[in-house]
């Protein structure tokens, strides 16, 4: 049974008269018979709805282009690339034919399209091709860049412009339009003979494609109900009628009827009643009227301030109806506090695209990190040939990139996604000469972006706020430096420092002491607000606190501080920045749980951004709010100097979270090449917070239905520190004999969750959108 009570309809005679005219379902209106190309070719219907069927650039992409794919100085292969008629995917030729799904990439997975030699690959290997003929397609997640050269500059521009138009239109689509687009693309694929008519066999194929195993008798009954011509073929309006039946949302219809009554339309006052029951802050009649004007599809209903079922669904599928508070998707927090008062999105071994043993180092890894809102990146600097420092993971087989090239990438991309300050965490292994070269590159390439002196001469020791927009801070050693027992100045190598201190790697530690280098004055001068130091103890040093020092420690040491001196660690982090990094023993670049470190107020919790998993899901969820700017204000008890908060002893439960998992919609197939493979989905809700709050509960699984599974199960949690909680919604494919397979997930901060009936938009393992896949839930939060 769905949450909530029944409501009585209260409507004027005029409203009742109009409601009878507009209450008929509007989703997917029948297509009029016509001879245009979109009727003859169903796949073009999607492009027609996007308004791009006549666009010259899109037409050229539909015809296809032979482009050179560039991988190295000698590997240049001509491949055919062609936009699919769904307008959502691009087919490409491969040397060895693979499964159909391996021959396409999706427009929604593109992060950026760059013109000219604007990628590391084209700068290194594209010299033989004019920049005007080159383009780079950069993808979200871990997929490598696609570096291409077209025969002419005009053809390259057609792809640059065409992809830009498709991405812009896709971004502007409502969830309902995406669903329409999605179902018609599958309809086109299921129409095996491309005659724009659907036999029952083709309908069954369509059902398997969209992840539902429907009983043959029930499917045939639906089919015959729509076969008005009685010729065992559906076409035109009959196909649309079948899709309307297939895409019905009974649970939404029940909620709608609860508030609309028998008239089957919502007046503004009834919609307001729904909003108030949802717990919408500040809901007014004017708000309800505005929602009708924004989301109602029927013009007659809109004129009379009425909302139909389709308008109601449009609203619930929109960002305003989603679980994440839309007001929190822009910068809404106080950005004028010291840097130590914020969680700051941070990357470890940023230069790596894979593991830290033999992975590739690339400037593209920095660009991707910045695109994800990262504000603190790491540069592992070593002596290079020709007097030029290089960046790589020392003493391993990882490839090397020039320090200079990385700083140029920082200059060009650091502020593309967020205007707030970036911290360059230098791990310095260079001699004095190449340190001076590093300092020169930082000054000459970054120019006025680089902070080279205290901004407030009256209070030079006070940390600035994130309002220091467009500026870059250097984290590094500062002279005069602390000296080790043998009188040498210690290097910056974090992993080796930890190993030396804990005597875990005696031989390597001895080698470290023998090769430790001095710090050059030129480089030391650039460490203005982020002076690197080891955090060995939490005992306060004599004199005022040194706000401009950044303590670095491994995940193990951070856990030890939290366990043994939780409140002291929290107090330390109210005034000074602390950077936590993964243990060096994580050879495959695996991550640790960042929530443990946030619980103690650590700001710079550095993760391997190149390694997907629940840890990066948590990081994405933590920084999803506040405009995804990479800075999130810590809870008040993690900012107060005399706080008594201890993450190990947070006090009694004070919040109850109840999540009723209702349904899911259009879950992705896990094996697109196997038509009979249908998921058996279950939903797990995970709570990530202080140790006593951490919990997970799951629903039963639904057999053979990834299209519209229904659970209606309630999962309840008691929380002690709700301000720190992240709620992770995970959908898995149940398997009796092996571990469940991942389907999709979404991680959201509890403090930004909206109550009531909400849709949760699912993401893939590497963070890409799985639109139109959603969960539909009811959320209730009660504070004691």
């Amino acid at each position: 049974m769905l949450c909530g009570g029944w409501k009585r309809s209260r409507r004027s005679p005029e409203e009742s008269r109009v409601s009878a005219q507009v209450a008929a379902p509007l989703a997917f209106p029948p297509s009029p018979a016509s001879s245009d190309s979109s009727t003859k070719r169903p796949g073009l219907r999607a492009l027609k709805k996007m308004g791009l069927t006549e666009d010259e650039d899109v037409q050229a992409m539909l015809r296809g282009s032979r482009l050179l794919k560039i991988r190295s100085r000698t590997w240049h292969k001509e491949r055919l690339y062609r936009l699919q008629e769904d307008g959502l995917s691009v087919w490409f030729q491969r040397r060895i034919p693979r499964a159909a799904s391996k021959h396409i990439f999706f427009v929604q997975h593109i992060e950026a399209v760059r013109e000219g030699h604007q990628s590391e690959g084209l700068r290194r290997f594209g010299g033989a091709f004019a920049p005007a003929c080159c383009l780079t397609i950069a993808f979200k997640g871990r997929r490598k860049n696609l570096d291409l050269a077209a025969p002419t500059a005009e053809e390259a521009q057609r792809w640059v412009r065409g992809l830009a138009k498709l991405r812009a239109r896709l971004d502007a689509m409502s969830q309902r339009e995406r669903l329409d687009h999605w179902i018609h693309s599958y309809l086109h694929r299921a129409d095996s003979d491309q005659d724009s008519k659907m036999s029952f066999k083709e309908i069954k194929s369509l059902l398997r494609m969209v992840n539902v195993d429907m009983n043959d008798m029930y499917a045939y009954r639906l089919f015959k109900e729509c076969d008005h011509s009685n010729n065992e073929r559906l076409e035109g309006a009959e196909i649309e009628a079948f899709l309307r039946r297939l895409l019905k949302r009974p649970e939404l219809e029940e909620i709608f009827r609860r508030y609309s009554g028998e008239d089957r339309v919502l007046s503004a006052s009834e919609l307001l009643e729904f909003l108030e029951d949802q717990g919408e802050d500040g809901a007014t009649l004017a708000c309800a009227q505005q929602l009708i004007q924004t989301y109602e599809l029927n013009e007659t209903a809109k004129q009379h301030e009425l909302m139909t079922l389709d308008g109601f669904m449009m609203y619930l599928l929109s960002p305003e109806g989603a679980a994440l508070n839309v007001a929190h998707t822009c910068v809404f927090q106080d950005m004028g506090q010291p840097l130590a008062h914020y969680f700051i999105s941070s990357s470890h071994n940023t230069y790596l695209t894979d593991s830290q043993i033999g992975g590739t180092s690339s400037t593209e890894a920095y660009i991707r990190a910045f695109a994800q809102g990262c504000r603190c990146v790491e540069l592992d600097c070593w002596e290079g040939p020709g007097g030029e420092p290089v960046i790589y993971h020392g003493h391993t087989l990882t490839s090397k990139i020039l320090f200079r090239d990385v700083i140029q990438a920082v200059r060009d991309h650091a502020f593309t996604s967020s205007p707030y300050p970036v911290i360059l965490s230098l791990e310095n292994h260079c001699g004095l000469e190449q340190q001076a070269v590093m300092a020169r590159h930082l000054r000459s390439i970054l120019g006025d972006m680089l902070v080279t002196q205290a901004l407030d001469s009256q209070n030079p020791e006070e940390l600035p706020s994130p309002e220091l927009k467009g500026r870059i801070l250097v984290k590094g050693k500062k002279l005069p430096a602390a000296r080790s027992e043998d009188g040498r100045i210690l290097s910056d190598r974090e992993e080796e420092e930890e190993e030396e201190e804990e005597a875990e790697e005696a031989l390597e530690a001895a080698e470290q002491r023998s090769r430790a280098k001095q710090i050059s004055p030129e480089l030391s001068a650039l460490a203005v607000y982020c002076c690197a130091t080891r955090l060995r103890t939490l005992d306060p040093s004599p004199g005022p606190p040194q706000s401009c020092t950044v303590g670095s420690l491994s995940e193990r040491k951070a856990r030890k501080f939290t366990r043994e001196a939780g409140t002291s660690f929290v107090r330390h982090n109210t005034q000074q920045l602390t950077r936590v990094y993964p243990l060096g023993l994580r050879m495959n670049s695996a991550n640790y749980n960042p929530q443990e470190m946030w619980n103690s107020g650590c700001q710079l919790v550095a993760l391997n951004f190149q390694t997907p998993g629940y840890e990066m899901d948590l990081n994405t969820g933590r920084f999803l709010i506040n405009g995804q700017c990479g800075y999130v204000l810590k809870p008040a008890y993690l900012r107060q100097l005399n706080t008594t908060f201890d993450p190990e002893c947070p006090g009694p439960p004070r919040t109850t979270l109840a999540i009723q998992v209702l349904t899911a919609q259009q879950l992705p197939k896990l094996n697109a090449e196997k038509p009979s493979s249908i998921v058996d989905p279950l939903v797990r809700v995970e709570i990530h917070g202080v140790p006593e709050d951490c919990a997970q509960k799951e629903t039963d699984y639904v057999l053979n239905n990834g299209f519209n599974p229904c659970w209606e199960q309630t999962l309840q949690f008691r929380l002690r520190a709700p301000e720190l909680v992240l709620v992770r919604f995970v959908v898995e494919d149940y398997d009796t004999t092996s571990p469940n397979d991942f389907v999709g997930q979404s991680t959201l901060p509890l403090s930004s969750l909206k109550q009531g009936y909400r849709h949760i938009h699912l993401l893939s393992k590497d963070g890409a959108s799985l639109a139109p896949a959603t969960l539909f839930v009811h959320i209730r939060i009660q504070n004691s």
Side-chain angles (χ1 to χ4, degrees), residues 611-675:
T611 307
Y614 87 91
E615 302 92 348
M616 275 305 297
D617 293 343
L618 297 182
N619 196 74
T620 300
R622 176 64 65 202
F623 295 101
L624 185 64
I625 61 168
N626 210 31
Q628 299 184 52
C629 73
Y631 286 84
V632 170
L633 191 65
K634 297 194 292 187
Y637 52 73
L638 294 182
R639 291 181 273 128
Q640 296 160 352
L641 181 58
N642 296 318
T643 182
T644 59
F645 179 75
D646 183 345
E648 297 292 305
C649 304
R654 52 192 175 93
T655 299
T656 299
L657 170 66
I659 297 175
Q660 187 181 26
V661 181
L662 298 169
T663 59
Q665 295 74 43
Q666 293 80 53
L667 299 176
K669 280 183 76 74
L670 299 184
N671 189 345
E673 319 308 331
K674 189 176 179 182

Side-chain angles (χ1 to χ4, degrees), residues 20-57:
Q21 302 173 19
V22 301
L26 298 170
F28 308 116
S31 302
S34 69
S35 58
D36 71 20
S37 61
S38 67
T39 302
K40 294 177 182 177
R41 296 167 66 189
L44 287 180
R45 181 184 191 277
L47 280 172
K48 185 177 182 181
K49 288 180 75 70
M50 295 171 81
L52 294 173
T53 45
E54 304 303 320
D55 185 272
E56 291 184 3
D57 295 324

Side-chain angles (χ1 to χ4, degrees), residues 107 110-113 140 162-172:
V107 174
I110 295 175
E111 181 72 57
V113 179
K140 300 172 183 175
L163 287 172
K165 293 169 190 173
L166 290 168
R167 293 176 66 213
R169 184 64 189 92
L170 192 59
D171 288 343

Side-chain angles (χ1 to χ4, degrees), residues 693-705:
D693 283 346
C694 291
Q696 59 181 44
K697 297 180 181 180
E698 62 186 36
T699 67
D700 300 329
Y701 68 90
V702 174
L703 188 64
N704 285 339
N705 186 352

Side-chain angles (χ1 to χ4, degrees), residues 428-473:
N428 173 26
H429 306 271
C430 295
L432 292 176
E433 288 186 12
Q434 292 205 12
Q435 286 181 48
V437 173
M438 289 166 56
R440 285 200 299 273
H441 286 328
L442 286 164
R443 287 181 180 273
S444 64
I445 295 171
L446 297 179
D448 291 340
M449 299 167 78
L450 185 67
V451 174
T452 57
Q453 59 185 13
L455 304 173
D456 183 354
S457 58
Q458 300 299 315
N459 300 288
E461 295 297 317
E462 287 188 5
L463 280 173
S465 77
E467 289 295 350
L468 194 64
K469 293 181 180 178
R471 304 297 297 277
I472 294 171
L473 305 170

Side-chain angles (χ1 to χ4, degrees), residues 651-655 718-720 784:
R654 52 192 175 93
T655 299
R718 295 276 284 156
L719 307 173
R720 291 164 172 79
S784 56

